[in-house]
């Protein structure tokens, strides 16, 4: 049995697992400990082991067949972020990337909610429940206008991510484009909402 067959078996078995989530700043998420405790025993059962390593630019997930010594190729990897002086930030970034690589490689299905889709990072239903009482007693304010060239902002952000950050299209995400735009400008809430909608729709259609 090839290493690819063994990984496929692990993926199928993980579909029956229930992963617990934690409450984080942007909503529910699966912790690295939870993922490791579910994925590692499955890999061991099928004669696989894995570990994380890195080069100058990427964090890499190495998966090896214990019997044949075959190595999964190409190895799953993700580009390392820019260095930070804050060790807590660095540690958080590495943990996030490890979670991402494990979930993507072993097809662990997360909740479909994207925390960046709402103003406070909460799922829509929780957003509505938390603010319904406030909305009943608040007069509706007139909508703000959009006074920015959103398509141009989008193109400029892509250019920056590709040429300055050195990312390829497989490494660029909707969240990265959106955050890059917001970081480099000041926008009212209507503009932010329209930018988020445009980026999400346009990037997905381009894939």
């Amino acid at each position: 049995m090839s290493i690819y067959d063994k990984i496929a078996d692990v993926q199928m078995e993980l579909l029956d697992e229930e992963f617990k989530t934690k409450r984080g700043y942007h909503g529910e998420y699966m912790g690295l400990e939870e993922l490791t405790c579910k994925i590692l025993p499955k890999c061991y059962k099928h004669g696989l082991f894995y570990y994380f390593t890195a080069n100058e630019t990427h964090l890499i997930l190495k998966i090896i067949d214990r019997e044949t010594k075959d190595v999964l190729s190409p190895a799953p990897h993700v580009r390392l972020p820019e260095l930070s002086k804050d060790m807590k930030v660095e540690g958080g970034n590495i943990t996030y990337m490890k979670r991402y690589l494990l979930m993507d490689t072993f097809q662990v299905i997360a909740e479909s909610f994207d925390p960046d889709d709402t103003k406070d990072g909460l799922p829509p239903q929780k957003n509505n429940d938390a603010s319904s009482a406030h909305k009943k007693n608040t007069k509706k304010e007139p909508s703000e206008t959009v006074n920015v060239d959103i398509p141009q902002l989008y193109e400029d952000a892509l250019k920056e991510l590709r040429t300055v950050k050195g990312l390829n299209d497989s490494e660029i995400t909707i969240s990265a484009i959106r955050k890059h735009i917001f970081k480099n400008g000041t926008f009212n809430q209507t503009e932010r909402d329209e930018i988020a909608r445009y980026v999400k729709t346009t990037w997905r259609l381009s894939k």
Side-chain angles (χ1 to χ4, degrees), residues 37-149:
C37 289
K38 293 291 176 65
I39 294 173
L40 194 58
K42 300 289 185 185
C43 286
Y44 187 85
K45 171 184 172 183
H46 289 281
L48 301 173
F49 80 92
Y50 69 80
Y51 66 94
F52 293 96
T53 185
N55 56 29
E56 293 182 353
T57 57
H58 289 80
L59 180 71
I60 304 164
L61 174 60
K62 292 281 190 178
I63 305 178
I64 301 173
D65 188 312
R66 300 204 324 268
E67 182 178 355
T68 66
K69 311 306 178 188
D70 289 338
V71 180
L72 179 64
S73 180
H77 60 278
V78 64
R79 191 175 184 86
L80 291 167
E82 294 180 2
L83 292 177
S84 167
K85 294 181 180 179
D86 190 334
M87 292 299 293
K88 289 184 178 180
V89 172
E90 284 297 304
N93 287 337
I94 296 298
T95 297
Y96 175 85
M97 290 188 291
K98 286 181 177 180
R99 288 172 46 231
Y100 171 82
L101 286 173
L102 288 175
M103 293 178 71
D104 186 62
T105 302
F106 294 103
Q107 298 299 293
V108 177
I109 301 174
E111 188 177 354
S112 60
F113 164 64
D114 181 352
D116 287 327
D117 280 344
T118 57
K119 296 178 182 179
D120 58 5
L122 296 176
Q125 185 59 47
K126 292 181 180 179
N127 247 323
N128 293 337
D129 292 344
S131 61
S132 58
H134 175 73
K135 288 181 178 179
K136 288 180 181 179
N137 299 315
T138 304
K139 292 183 179 180
K140 188 175 182 180
E141 297 181 358
S143 298
E144 297 170 298
T145 58
V146 176
N147 296 310
V148 293
D149 187 346

